[in-house]
Amino acid sequence: MDEARTATLDELQAWIGREHSFAGIDAVSRSDIRRKLEVFCFDCPLHYDDAVARAHGYGELVAPVAMTALWAMPPYWVPGEPVFYAPGEREKPGGIRIDLPTVYPRGVNTATEWDFFEPLYAGDTLKGDWRLVELKPRETKLGNGVFITVETAIYKQTGELVAKNRNTGFRYTERSAE
């Protein structure tokens, strides 16, 4: 597979603090909530019974917090864009795209923290922003690389803060076999 040009740590350092916005493509739906409950066999009436959810202080049934990032995701592809799953084409990642310059060819996620503030109801739509907040160059057993920390905030269409995420990944060049 064709690798992108490798950037320098100085180029990546210039990204610290820049804000990058995104918007989810779909609204929260009862159908999505039900399907997720089925996958996990998650029997919590807060997520399928309006009366139980109201009895616990919610307006109606609420989405499981594990689904928040799903509704914050921009589309992978939209009509009119070139096809990106085809022979000879480089695969595009899905999810909330955090397109930082590539400083090392390999990567692994090392830590993630989520905080949730507002419940999600059917009809809510999400948007957010992410920013690079920290770089820590290190030599590890995997190889020479850099720990990259990104913070993401997700909001409802009304401006209410729904969730914050702090994610750290390690980008590295694999240590040669000795």
Side-chain angles (χ1 to χ4, degrees):
M1 177 151 74
D2 212 15
E3 287 296 324
R5 180 186 77 79
T6 302
T8 66
L9 279 177
D10 286 340
E11 288 175 289
L12 188 57
Q13 183 77 35
W15 282 65
I16 290 182
R18 289 186 195 172
E19 188 172 291
H20 307 272
S21 297
F22 58 88
I25 189 68
D26 296 311
V28 174
S29 75
R30 287 176 173 253
S31 175
D32 287 343
I33 294 169
R34 181 178 56 77
R35 290 290 183 198
K36 188 59 131 187
L37 298 178
E38 289 174 354
V39 169
F40 290 130
C41 299
F42 189 41
D43 189 10
C44 177
L46 292 174
H47 306 303
Y48 62 80
D49 187 323
D50 287 318
V52 170
R54 278 195 277 285
H56 286 86
Y58 296 101
E60 61 184 72
L61 67 84
V62 295
V65 296
M67 296 183 73
T68 302
L70 169 73
W71 290 299
M73 286 187 340
Y76 293 155
W77 175 87
V78 294
E81 287 183 349
V83 174
F84 56 90
Y85 289 120
E89 293 291 325
R90 188 169 178 189
E91 215 174 278
K92 278 173 87 174
I96 297 171
R97 290 187 190 94
I98 298 179
D99 295 325
L100 291 169
T102 302
V103 291
Y104 294 98
R106 298 196 177 271
V108 62
N109 195 51
T110 60
T112 192
E113 298 172 31
W114 281 93
D115 292 308
F116 297 94
F117 305 100
E118 287 293 323
L120 291 178
Y121 300 109
D124 283 336
T125 57
L126 301 178
K127 60 184 177 180
D129 55 69
W130 66 267
R131 69 185 52 79
L132 174 64
V133 295
E134 186 175 51
L135 298 173
K136 289 184 178 177
R138 294 285 190 272
E139 177 75 27
T140 72
K141 289 182 180 182
L142 292 175
N144 185 42
V146 62
F147 286 94
I148 300 171
T149 301
V150 172
E151 289 182 349
T152 303
I154 300 173
Y155 303 90
K156 288 185 182 186
Q157 72 280 0
T158 57
E160 297 167 283
L161 178 62
V162 173
K164 282 189 173 184
N165 173 252
R166 183 176 175 93
N167 195 80
T168 302
F170 183 62
R171 298 294 306 186
Y172 63 99
T173 298
E174 196 167 18
R175 184 184 295 257
S176 60
E178 297 171 8

